[in-house]
Amino acid sequence: MTIQPAKLSDPAVRAFVNAVNSHDREGFMALLAPGATMSDDGSDRDLADWIDREIFSSHGHMEVDNESDGGQTLLARYRNDTWGEMRTKWSFTVEGDGRISRFETGQG
């Protein structure tokens, strides 16, 4: 069963999912803390390059099936034009100011 983005517990994670699904690159970047980092399948990646390739130029979309860790860990079906749909896990580090300093994703 899919969790609607509006029902996600963590406001930063909710905004992240909404920015991905609405292809709002500017809004997405505003959610990230300065110097934010990310990893994909356990390897650190260049954040700007990765989000352009895996989210914005390939029409990424997240359908969240489950959340845990106060809403900072998601299990989602993620799809884009490059890879099709896959089950993925997303973990977020949210700072006190509500911005995301790190996210980690991978097949789940």
Side-chain angles (χ1 to χ4, degrees), residues 1-68:
M1 180 161 146
T2 303
I3 300 173
Q4 294 302 313
K7 298 215 185 318
L8 293 171
S9 302
D10 187 282
V13 173
R14 182 184 324 132
F16 180 102
V17 172
N18 283 326
V20 168
N21 290 350
S22 63
H23 311 293
D24 178 5
R25 189 184 194 284
E26 192 173 310
F28 180 96
M29 295 306 291
L31 298 170
L32 301 179
T37 61
M38 61 85 52
S39 71
D40 184 3
D41 283 330
S43 299
D44 275 34
R45 309 283 188 187
D46 178 276
L47 187 137
D49 174 66
W50 189 91
I51 64 169
D52 283 341
R53 189 177 65 250
E54 299 292 340
I55 299 175
F56 295 106
S57 69
S58 61
H59 307 102
H61 188 85
M62 298 174 75
E63 289 192 42
V64 179
D65 291 326
N66 187 283
E67 66 171 7
S68 56

Side-chain angles (χ1 to χ4, degrees), residues 72-84:
Q72 293 184 4
T73 299
L74 304 179
L75 290 176
R77 281 168 287 139
Y78 185 77
R79 69 175 184 268
N80 65 24
D81 293 347
T82 306
W83 305 109

